[in-house]
Amino acid sequence: MKEDDALQAALRLAVDPPGGVSIGALRELARDDDATDWDIATTAAHLGVNPHTLRYYERIGLVRVARDAAGHRRYDAPAVRRLVFLIRMRTSGMPISDLRQYVDLVDAGQDTVSERLDMLLEHRDTLRSQVAHLQLALAATEYKIATYQEAPRP
Amino acid sequence: MKEDDALQAALRLAVDPPGGVSIGALRELARDDDATDWDIATTAAHLGVNPHTLRYYERIGLVRVARDAAGHRRYDAPAVRRLVFLIRMRTSGMPISDLRQYVDLVDAGQDTVSERLDMLLEHRDTLRSQVAHLQLALAATEYKIATYQEAPRP
DNA sequence: GCTTGTGTTTGAGCGCACTCACACCTCTAC
DNA sequence: GTAGAGGTGTGAGTGCGCTCAAACACAAGC
C-alpha cells in the first residue's frame, strides 16, 4: 500500500519533463484557425517534420492536399489537423501500415467507427506498456547515475 | 538523502510493470546467481530477444562471451547483466553507436567514469522527454477514444 | 531576360538494427 | 554409425521510414 503511494510519487516525478514538445506550436495548431493556408515549408516547420515527409505521406495516401494555381500544395486547417494526428500516432510508435488502415476506415464512412475505436484502444494499450517500459528504463538509468555519483568507484 | 530513498522505492516499484516485462525473468536475472551458465537459446529466451541478436551484439563488440569446449557460447551472470543493461538501453531508444561508445568507455577503465555519467545523464533526459511525448500521445488517444465512445457519430 | 528561390513528380538510395542463408561442426540418442 | 537438434562464423538480405537526386515548372526581383 505504501509501496503504491511511493510508486505514484515516483511516476509523477518521472513524468515531469524538462524539455518536451513545443507547447506554443501545439497551442497554435489547436487554435483550429479557418484562415490556415500554409505552403509545404511552413507546414513542415510547424509540424516539425521534413517537407519530403509530407510529400511522402501524401504519396502513400495518408492525406489529400489541395493545390494552388501553380500546382503547389496548400495545407488548410483540416489537412493540418489530420497531419497532427497522424504524426502524433507515428511518433508514438504506430506503424505506417496501421495509419493507412485507419485513414482507409475513416474514408469508408461512419460504419467503420467501431473498427477505428478498436485500433485506438489497441494503440492506447501499446502506449501504456511503452510508458511502463520507458519508466523502468528511466528508473534503472537513474539508479546507475546514483551509483556513479555517490561512489567514485562503485 | 530522502532523494535516495525515493530512488530506491521508485526502482523497486517501477520494476513492477502492468503489462510490461516478465517479472519472473527479471527476478531471476536480479538474483545475480553465480551459477548462471546459459546457452544462447536459454539466454535469448530469458532476455526476450532473438539468438541472432545476441551473436550480432557480440560481433559488433558490445559483449564478449565465453565458449565451452565445443566452441558454443556460455553466458554467465556478468555477461547476462551486461546484456540486460544493453538491451534495456537499446529498447529505450539508445542507438547502437552510443552503446558501442559506452562499452568502450567501460573497457577503458575508471578514468572514463565522468564521460559515462554524462552519457547516462543525457539518456535520462531523452527518456524523460520520450515519456512526456508518449503521455501526450496517450492523452490525445484517450480523448479521441472518449469522443468515439460517448457519441455514436461525433 | 536571366538568376534565384521554391515548388513539382518519380524513382532510387540510405541508415538502422536486425534477420537469414549457407556451409560447416559437435554432441546425444537410437 | 547415422539422424537430428542445436550450435558456429560470415556475408547477404530485409523492412521500415524516410530522404535525396534529377529534371522540370513557375514567379519575383534585378
Side-chain angles (χ1 to χ4, degrees):
Chain A
M1 303 304 121
K2 72 182 162 195
E3 290 267 3
D4 240 75
D5 290 332
L7 174 61
Q8 294 299 330
L11 291 191
R12 239 178 287 115
L13 287 166
V15 159
D16 199 319
V21 194
S22 152
I23 311 246
L26 284 175
R27 205 153 276 156
E28 192 162 346
L29 292 170
R31 217 155 32 83
D32 198 27
D33 192 347
D34 282 340
T36 299
D37 181 37
W38 292 334
D39 62 20
I40 194 169
T42 309
T43 311
H46 276 91
L47 300 184
V49 299
N50 193 314
H52 287 301
T53 303
L54 295 181
R55 296 197 192 94
Y56 169 66
Y57 281 9
E58 185 178 358
R59 188 155 35 151
I60 64 176
L62 287 184
V63 273
R64 269 182 288 280
V65 183
R67 306 301 160 107
D68 66 11
H72 292 190
R73 290 172 179 79
R74 305 303 315 188
Y75 292 86
D76 60 3
V80 172
R81 253 181 287 128
R82 171 170 273 197
L83 281 170
V84 168
F85 172 73
L86 291 171
I87 290 167
R88 182 172 288 140
M89 293 298 109
R90 262 301 297 131
T91 58
S92 63
M94 185 179 277
I96 292 241
S97 55
D98 286 10
L99 290 177
R100 279 296 323 262
Q101 195 187 336
Y102 187 88
V103 303
D104 285 352
L105 288 174
V106 171
D107 291 350
Q110 289 299 334
D111 3 343
T112 65
V113 162
S114 77
E115 282 174 80
R116 287 182 241 166
L117 184 55
D118 286 347
M119 291 190 73
L120 291 177
L121 289 170
E122 198 175 322
H123 188 56
R124 181 187 61 182
D125 291 349
T126 306
L127 284 174
R128 284 179 177 165
S129 57
Q130 272 190 90
V131 168
H133 178 80
L134 285 185
Q135 258 150 358
L136 178 55
L138 183 53
T141 305
E142 272 169 350
Y143 180 77
K144 208 161 183 98
I145 286 170
T147 65
Y148 268 137
Q149 278 176 337
E150 75 193 18
R153 45 193 72 192
Chain B
M1 307 306 122
K2 70 181 163 195
E3 289 270 2
D4 241 74
D5 292 332
L7 176 60
Q8 295 296 333
L11 184 63
R12 240 177 292 114
L13 291 161
V15 159
D16 188 37
V21 197
S22 149
I23 310 241
L26 282 174
R27 206 151 275 158
E28 195 163 342
L29 292 170
R31 216 153 34 83
D32 198 28
D33 191 348
D34 283 339
T36 299
D37 180 36
W38 292 335
D39 62 20
I40 193 170
T42 309
T43 312
H46 277 90
L47 300 184
V49 300
N50 194 315
H52 287 301
T53 303
L54 294 181
R55 296 197 193 94
Y56 169 66
Y57 280 10
E58 185 177 358
R59 192 163 19 159
I60 64 176
L62 287 185
V63 275
R64 270 183 288 281
V65 183
R67 306 302 158 109
D68 65 12
H72 292 190
R73 289 171 179 80
R74 305 304 314 187
Y75 292 86
D76 61 3
V80 171
R81 253 181 285 128
R82 173 170 271 199
L83 281 170
V84 168
F85 172 72
L86 291 172
I87 290 168
R88 182 171 287 141
M89 292 298 110
R90 261 301 297 129
T91 58
S92 64
M94 185 178 277
I96 292 242
S97 55
D98 286 10
L99 290 177
R100 280 294 324 261
Q101 195 187 335
Y102 187 87
V103 303
D104 285 352
L105 289 174
V106 172
D107 290 349
Q110 288 298 334
D111 3 344
T112 65
V113 162
S114 77
E115 282 174 81
R116 290 182 238 166
L117 184 54
D118 285 348
M119 291 191 74
L120 291 177
L121 290 170
E122 197 175 322
H123 187 57
R124 181 186 62 179
D125 291 349
T126 306
L127 284 174
R128 283 178 176 166
S129 58
Q130 270 190 91
V131 168
H133 178 80
L134 285 185
Q135 254 148 1
L136 180 54
L138 183 54
T141 304
E142 271 169 349
Y143 179 77
K144 207 158 185 99
I145 286 171
T147 64
Y148 269 138
Q149 278 176 337
E150 74 194 16
R153 43 194 72 191

